Amino acid sequence: MSKQLVINAAGHETRVALLEDGTVAEFFVVRKNDQDIAGNIYKGRVQRVLPGMQSAFVDIGLKQAAFIHVANIIGKNEEFDRLLTRNGDSEESLADAGVKDDPCDDGQFETPIEDLIRDNQELMVQVVKPPMGTKGARITTYISLPGRFLVLMPNSDHIGISRRIENENERSRLKALVASLRKGNSGFIVRTAAEGEQEEKIAAEMNFLVRLWEKVNVRFNETSAPALLRQEIPVSLRAVRDLLTYEADKLVIDSAADYEAIISFLEEFAPNRKSSVELYSGAEPIFDVYNLEGDLSRALKKKIWLKSGGYIVIEHTEALVAIDVNTGRYVGKHNLEETILKTNLEAVKEIVCQIRLRDIGGIIIIDFIDMKKKSNQDKVFSALKEALKKDRSKTHVLPVSEMGLIQMTRKRSKKSLNRILCESCFYCEGNGYLISKQTICYNLYREVLRDIRDFTGDQLTLRVNPQIAEFLHGEENHLMESLERSVGKQIVIYPNPQFHMEEFEIYEQAKKPAG
């Protein structure tokens, strides 16, 4: 399977798409005003300890206080190591290896939170999950510093090997190598990219991570809470570090500045991968070249049609995501059971594709079309398990229940796609979603760039919904200024009360001669 990273870096917004055999499988977007803080390390101050919830609120300098559970507070290192080695192997980040998805059902930690921390105490913490809706950031005191080959865990002496390294001899070699190289008691997780690498490269990165940890400690001692101690690298460089180095074969980016930053990053960490990076300089928008805009629009729809004529419906609720499978227009060729099985098997592929693309997390309930034969139920369950092997997020799937439902969980690490690109609909008082004003502005920005070759005059007129016009003149005024510089034309915005929020019109208007 060929894998490729496509990055659209526009300054105000960076979009990253992971393509598998030409089809977008995963999508990441970061906007200039977003709180992209996962992985950041802070010096925080405990605001309030809640013994009844075995949790605490911590001020790390954001609008909302961060949340920490007792399971994510350093007590005894052996408790942390037991979590890391619970399954015999290690994943590639602290969030997977040391921080439970739902620590509230833990029961393994005997020390109560009130014996570990107190009000007004200063803590060094790392963001595991960014703020989502009304919930503050989720934090931990088990710090991790990821590199290309290793993840440094200064608060543990555990050495773990990525589960993706399957060769037992290589696993043993890497574990012995790290054990011989490390100085002190810091723990390390060996990442997939380290497979087959020589001692010199791993030793160099180990020293780099140790020096980085020392700098974080110095800053912690020199600053008062709340304070940012270390900021995670930008999304484009994270894509290089976490995907290009061992997932993708090639990276294409449309920003010269970001291209140079990536090349500089690779020169230090992976010089042999520089040839895998390409700067796109074509006139057509890069996501249009790879036909990605349609896939992203489809990922925001509630109903997804299958090639056979069947369809799936994806509904987001407060507690879970429900996915319903229907035969739709598909009538089959032989008998009802065969028609149902074929629809369910086709739906499995699309469901996994949409779960990954939309980054759906938490509890997921899938209502497949009822199958009478147990053998057919097993086929659908096996197909789902096999399709989920491509997913980098941790999943847990239960067999088909007596009611014909499949229940599964998927690790939630950030906002889902519809939470990022959409906002609550004021027309329906929050019962549904519509494209956000910011997304409409960015779509308009790209549409002008897409059609600019068709205009020869020196002025463009945009007719938009009044709310979009107000947004373009206010919060997104910089976007219009950037667009005018890019196209070399004056842009005039006119509000039209008759226009729907997502409707806009672009036309040309020549300036009148002077006098």
Side-chain angles (χ1 to χ4, degrees):
M1 177 188 296
S2 65
K3 294 187 179 183
Q4 186 172 357
L5 282 168
V6 178
I7 302 180
N8 169 221
H12 54 271
E13 176 186 62
T14 300
R15 302 187 297 168
V16 180
L18 173 64
L19 276 58
E20 295 180 352
D21 290 334
T23 301
V24 58
E26 297 182 25
F27 179 71
F28 315 91
V29 58
V30 175
R31 288 170 174 170
K32 199 170 184 178
N33 58 347
D34 282 347
Q35 289 183 316
D36 183 29
I37 63 170
N40 284 4
I41 301 175
Y42 294 87
K43 183 174 186 177
R45 187 181 301 278
V46 179
Q47 286 185 329
R48 186 183 178 193
V49 177
L50 306 172
M53 296 180 63
Q54 284 299 290
S55 303
F57 290 110
V58 181
D59 179 15
I60 59 174
L62 304 179
K63 292 181 180 179
Q64 296 169 297
F67 175 85
I68 191 168
H69 185 265
V70 65
N72 300 142
I73 298 175
I74 294 174
K76 298 177 182 178
N77 276 352
E78 56 265 27
E79 292 178 332
F80 182 46
D81 289 338
R82 189 167 68 251
L83 278 177
L84 285 169
T85 57
R86 184 174 49 196
N87 297 317
D89 294 306
S90 293
E91 294 291 350
E92 296 198 350
S93 69
L94 184 69
D96 287 330
V99 178
K100 292 171 63 61
D101 292 339
D102 185 10
C104 298
D105 64 359
D106 183 66
Q108 298 184 61
F109 289 81
E110 298 177 357
T111 307
I113 191 170
E114 57 268 31
D115 292 343
L116 294 175
I117 61 174
R118 62 185 185 278
D119 290 356
N120 294 317
Q121 181 178 344
E122 294 182 339
L123 297 173
M124 183 188 296
V125 296
Q126 186 169 33
V127 176
V128 178
K129 296 180 183 179
M132 296 185 188
T134 59
K135 297 180 180 179
R138 182 85 153 269
I139 57 175
T140 178
T141 60
Y142 295 105
I143 309 299
S144 69
L145 295 173
R148 184 192 174 205
F149 303 123
L150 303 169
V151 178
L152 169 64
M153 300 178 298
N155 298 317
S156 169
D157 61 0
H158 173 77
I159 297 177
I161 310 295
S162 168
R163 293 175 185 171
R164 297 187 184 187
I165 301 176
E166 297 178 353
N167 185 284
E168 288 300 326
N169 290 333
E170 178 65 2
R171 294 174 66 86
S172 299
R173 181 187 78 88
L174 290 169
K175 190 164 188 176
L177 178 60
V178 172
S180 65
L181 289 174
R182 70 171 176 174
K183 300 173 183 177
N185 296 321
S186 292
F188 288 91
I189 293 177
V190 181
R191 307 189 72 177
T192 308
E195 187 171 11
E197 293 295 340
Q198 299 303 310
E199 177 179 338
E200 293 77 13
K201 289 186 177 180
I202 294 177
E205 181 166 282
M206 183 180 291
N207 291 332
F208 169 79
L209 293 174
V210 170
R211 289 197 305 271
L212 184 60
W213 170 240
E214 291 172 351
K215 290 180 181 178
V216 172
N217 266 314
V218 168
R219 181 158 172 76
F220 178 83
N221 293 325
E222 292 178 347
T223 59
S224 58
L228 174 64
L229 303 180
R230 179 183 180 270
Q231 188 167 14
E232 179 62 299
I233 58 177
V235 64
S236 56
L237 295 185
R238 288 206 304 273
V240 172
R241 183 191 68 194
D242 298 336
L243 296 174
L244 180 64
T245 51
Y246 60 92
E247 285 269 352
D249 309 307
K250 181 180 178 182
L251 182 149
V252 185
I253 187 167
D254 61 357
S255 165
D258 287 64
Y259 170 80
E260 294 298 335
I262 288 172
I263 293 298
S264 297
F265 182 83
L266 288 174
E267 282 178 348
E268 182 175 358
F269 292 100
N272 61 315
R273 296 309 306 269
K274 288 195 296 181
S275 59
S276 303
V277 182
E278 176 186 321
L279 175 62
Y280 173 78
S281 56
E284 190 176 1
I286 189 171
F287 269 38
D288 286 3
V289 172
Y290 289 90
N291 300 314
L292 302 181
E293 299 288 7
D295 288 338
L296 296 179
S297 297
R298 189 165 175 259
L300 297 177
K301 297 183 182 298
K302 185 168 71 172
K303 180 184 287 188
I304 304 294
W305 287 96
L306 307 175
K307 291 181 179 179
S308 66
Y311 64 90
I312 63 175
V313 177
I314 302 176
E315 292 275 9
H316 291 258
T317 73
E318 187 71 22
L320 53 84
V321 174
I323 303 176
D324 186 38
V325 182
N326 298 278
T327 54
R329 298 189 293 262
Y330 181 53
V331 295
K333 294 182 178 179
H334 299 288
N335 57 61
L336 178 61
E337 186 72 7
E338 180 184 303
T339 300
I340 291 173
L341 176 61
K342 286 186 174 181
T343 304
N344 283 340
L345 289 175
E346 185 183 9
V348 162
K349 296 180 180 178
E350 188 62 43
I351 287 169
V352 173
C353 175
Q354 292 299 321
I355 285 176
R356 293 181 64 197
L357 181 55
R358 299 175 188 227
D359 204 7
I360 298 172
I363 301 172
I364 303 170
I365 306 295
I366 307 174
D367 184 9
F368 286 103
I369 306 169
D370 290 340
M371 296 165 285
K372 294 182 179 179
K373 296 182 179 179
K374 179 67 166 59
S375 60
N376 288 342
Q377 293 180 3
D378 293 339
K379 286 179 182 178
V380 171
F381 176 70
S382 298
L384 180 62
K385 293 274 286 185
E386 183 65 27
L388 285 169
K389 288 181 179 179
K390 298 179 182 178
D391 192 358
R392 293 183 301 116
S393 292
K394 190 183 298 182
T395 58
H396 179 64
V397 187
L398 298 179
V400 181
S401 70
E402 293 182 0
M403 299 180 66
L405 304 174
I406 284 186
Q407 303 171 62
M408 63 173 286
T409 59
R410 183 173 185 268
K411 180 175 172 56
R412 191 201 312 271
S413 58
K414 58 185 177 65
K415 295 179 183 177
S416 61
L417 188 62
N418 72 326
R419 296 287 185 184
I420 296 173
L421 299 184
C422 302
E423 62 186 17
S424 294
C425 175
F426 54 85
Y427 290 128
C428 62
E429 298 182 351
N431 292 321
Y433 291 93
L434 74 159
I435 302 297
S436 70
K437 293 188 286 292
Q438 189 176 47
T439 299
I440 294 171
C441 291
Y442 293 162
N443 288 344
L444 178 58
Y445 176 93
R446 288 190 286 269
E447 189 67 27
V448 171
L449 292 180
R450 188 175 292 118
D451 297 338
I452 192 61
R453 286 171 292 180
D454 298 331
F455 301 111
T456 58
D458 48 17
Q459 181 174 299
L460 289 182
T461 299
L462 308 182
R463 290 196 180 275
V464 296
N465 178 277
Q467 293 191 47
I468 300 300
E470 182 179 355
F471 207 65
L472 289 172
H473 283 301
E475 294 181 42
E476 294 298 331
N477 183 53
H478 66 93
L479 194 66
M480 289 297 98
E481 293 175 353
S482 171
L483 188 58
E484 285 182 334
R485 289 194 298 269
S486 297
V487 302
K489 301 177 187 293
Q490 182 184 8
I491 297 176
V492 180
I493 301 169
Y494 285 106
N496 187 332
Q498 305 302 317
F499 276 23
H500 184 273
M501 280 281 292
E502 300 175 23
E503 186 180 356
F504 54 79
E505 183 179 292
I506 307 170
Y507 61 92
E508 195 173 43
Q509 181 176 324
K511 286 184 178 180
K512 295 181 180 180

